[in-house]
Amino acid sequence: MAKSHHSLTIFFIFIVATTGNKHGYKKEKLSHFHLYWHDVASGKNPTSAKIVTVPSRNNSAAPFGTVFMNDNTLTEGSELSSKFIGRGQGLLASAAQNEIGLLMVMNFAFETGKYNGSTISILGRNTIFSKVREMPIVGGSELFRFARGYVQARTYKFDLLSGDATVEYDIYVMHF
Ligand SMILES: *[C@@H]1O[C@H](CO)[C@@H](O)[C@H](O)[C@H]1NC(C)=O
Ligand SMILES: *[C@@H]1O[C@H](CO)[C@@H](O)[C@H](O)[C@H]1NC(C)=O
């Protein structure tokens, strides 16, 4: 009696597994992408806008409570004019009182090649003056459905005067 109950359970697990296959999901894989994220705060066509301004007590560029909205260009090379990959759209919010620690909530929307139309969602802590910032990938769409993983951000170029920055991203994402 107990034995047949056991095989019935296995049978149901088998049904669930084959139903999963019907949706077309194959083997989970790890992809690595390397790109540059251009935060343009100055000039005629900024891609970063300060949407919440807070009086600064420390001459800080991003005092606690400041929020930026970004629609940054993602490129293959370090120059803004290099091959376009997509857009980095989302929020950077100054969430730390005693240092520069930003809450980053951002979608990377791929707009070229195989991944055109697919997105990954990043949610993490970005201490922009640290050498390497690691932030989790919490999900994705289309080719990145069920995505999980992490990104590592490294500042490639930062102009204190204009606020413009180029950040190098290494993206490690598990997806199907
Ligand atoms: C800003 O000033 C306050 C008060 O003097 C200090 O406690 C805090 O550490 C300063 N923050 C930064 C980011 O320097
Ligand atoms: C990406 O997909 C959009 C929507 O389908 C399309 O309009 C666009 O031409 C595609 N871009 C590239 C570079 O393939």
Side-chain angles (χ1 to χ4, degrees):
M1 190 68 184
K3 211 168 200 172
S4 72
H5 186 244
H6 185 211
S7 49
L8 200 66
T9 308
I10 288 177
F11 178 67
F12 278 118
I13 288 171
F14 176 74
I15 286 181
V16 170
T18 42
T19 313
N21 260 348
K22 241 171 59 181
H23 291 274
Y25 299 118
K26 296 186 186 97
K27 229 179 152 177
E28 197 176 19
K29 57 184 174 285
L30 173 65
S31 295
H32 173 217
F33 300 94
H34 178 256
L35 52 81
Y36 291 84
W37 177 94
H38 302 270
D39 194 31
V40 181
S42 67
K44 273 198 211 139
N45 299 304
T47 60
S48 169
K50 193 185 278 188
I51 57 169
V52 176
T53 304
V54 174
S56 176
R57 281 170 297 164
N58 309 50
N59 270 335
S60 163
F64 176 63
T66 307
V67 182
F68 300 89
M69 182 69 84
N70 298 69
D71 181 13
N72 290 349
T73 308
L74 305 174
T75 61
E76 194 174 285
S78 60
E79 297 311 309
L80 188 55
S81 56
S82 81
K83 189 175 181 283
F84 173 77
I85 292 180
R87 312 215 63 87
Q89 298 171 330
L91 294 166
L92 283 169
S94 183
Q97 284 184 282
N98 297 318
E99 59 181 322
I100 302 290
L102 306 182
L103 164 70
M104 179 157 153
V105 184
M106 196 159 298
N107 295 315
F108 278 13
F110 291 83
E111 291 184 12
T112 50
K114 179 184 168 188
Y115 295 99
N116 186 8
S118 300
T119 64
I120 58 169
S121 299
I122 299 162
L123 172 63
R125 179 168 189 258
N126 193 344
T127 50
I128 54 171
F129 294 115
S130 305
K131 196 156 179 261
V132 186
R133 290 89 72 187
E134 186 168 309
M135 289 166 283
I137 292 168
V138 295
S141 70
E142 298 285 339
L143 290 178
F144 297 116
R145 286 173 190 159
F146 296 115
R148 58 203 171 91
Y150 65 97
V151 301
Q152 284 184 330
R154 290 174 177 83
T155 303
Y156 175 78
K157 208 165 65 183
F158 177 56
D159 186 327
L160 197 61
L161 223 57
S162 66
D164 293 356
T166 301
V167 181
E168 192 177 356
Y169 271 85
D170 276 293
I171 300 168
Y172 299 91
V173 57
M174 298 287 295
H175 61 108
F176 288 91

